[in-house]
Amino acid sequence: MDEREKLRKFRELDDAFAQALRELEKPNSRLAIPTGPPVRSLAELEAEEQQQRQQAFEAQLKALMKEYAQPRESVADLLRTLKTLGHIA
């Protein structure tokens, strides 16, 4: 793209921006200003991250149970014991 084309596009953008500002300054203006997707709250993001960590943990635990041929009940007992001793939260 040559310099003239860049300058023309910049002027178009500048004109569009100026027009949008003029519209915003008008009382009772009803411009449809795009705002993008809804913003998720920090709590939602943390909950989603926690869910992903939980799923990763469960997948890893199942893989280890299969690798060491440990039944679900034995692993549950082990986890309860570790929790009782304060080694896991």
Side-chain angles (χ1 to χ4, degrees), residues 41-54:
S41 72
L42 184 56
E44 288 174 339
L45 291 173
E46 288 173 347
E48 184 178 299
E49 186 177 299
Q50 176 65 27
Q51 183 180 15
Q52 289 172 351
R53 283 194 307 265
Q54 179 72 24

Side-chain angles (χ1 to χ4, degrees), residues 7 27 33 46 57 63 65 67 72-73 75 79 86:
L7 186 57
I33 300 172
E46 288 173 347
F57 172 78
M65 288 168 57
E67 182 178 341
R72 186 180 192 113
E73 297 77 26
V75 174
L79 290 173

Side-chain angles (χ1 to χ4, degrees), residues 23 25 27 44 76 86:
E23 289 295 321
E25 292 173 351
E44 288 174 339

